[in-house]
Amino acid sequence: MIRKRICREYLEEIERLERSIRELEEEIIELRMQLNLKVDEANRLAIENASLRHKLEVQKRTYKKMVELLKKVKFPIILLDEDDLEE
């Protein structure tokens, strides 16, 4: 009788542990999916950042070329530093 009770308790504990393992495995799968989504988002943002940096560099070069061209043709121009205006 005691042996049956002890065996039953062990079996119940084993079943409880197996359920816990299954739940943990499901949680791990969910966390992996979330991690993959975050990695994808980080990659997209890095690509977008690189693209915006490139566009900014192109705009800066274009601006400098335009200023130089206007200086060459002696077009009256006043250059304002926007940083000074904001203060």
Side-chain angles (χ1 to χ4, degrees):
M1 179 121 150
I2 292 177
R3 182 182 275 172
K4 276 187 173 182
R5 189 172 139 233
I6 291 175
C7 286
R8 185 168 30 96
E9 288 175 4
Y10 281 141
L11 288 173
E12 288 172 357
E13 181 66 14
I14 289 170
E15 289 174 1
R16 185 188 70 76
L17 290 171
E18 286 174 342
R19 279 193 305 275
S20 293
I21 289 171
R22 281 192 298 275
E23 289 171 4
L24 289 171
E25 287 172 340
E26 290 171 3
E27 190 173 341
I28 288 170
I29 290 169
E30 178 65 29
L31 290 171
R32 280 185 183 152
M33 288 191 310
Q34 290 177 12
L35 177 61
N36 287 338
L37 290 174
K38 293 292 182 186
V39 167
D40 289 345
E41 181 181 6
N43 288 336
R44 279 193 305 274
L45 290 173
I47 292 168
E48 182 180 356
N49 187 26
S51 174
L52 290 173
R53 284 177 189 255
H54 175 72
K55 286 179 182 179
L56 180 61
E57 288 300 316
V58 168
Q59 285 181 346
K60 284 180 181 179
R61 287 194 302 266
T62 302
Y63 173 80
K64 287 179 183 178
K65 287 178 182 178
M66 288 174 57
V67 168
E68 290 303 316
L69 177 65
L70 291 173
K71 285 180 181 179
K72 281 182 182 179
V73 296
K74 298 184 188 223
F75 188 83
I77 182 170
I78 298 174
L79 297 177
L80 299 176
D81 187 358
E82 291 181 17
D83 295 334
D84 291 339
L85 293 176
E86 292 178 5
E87 293 175 359

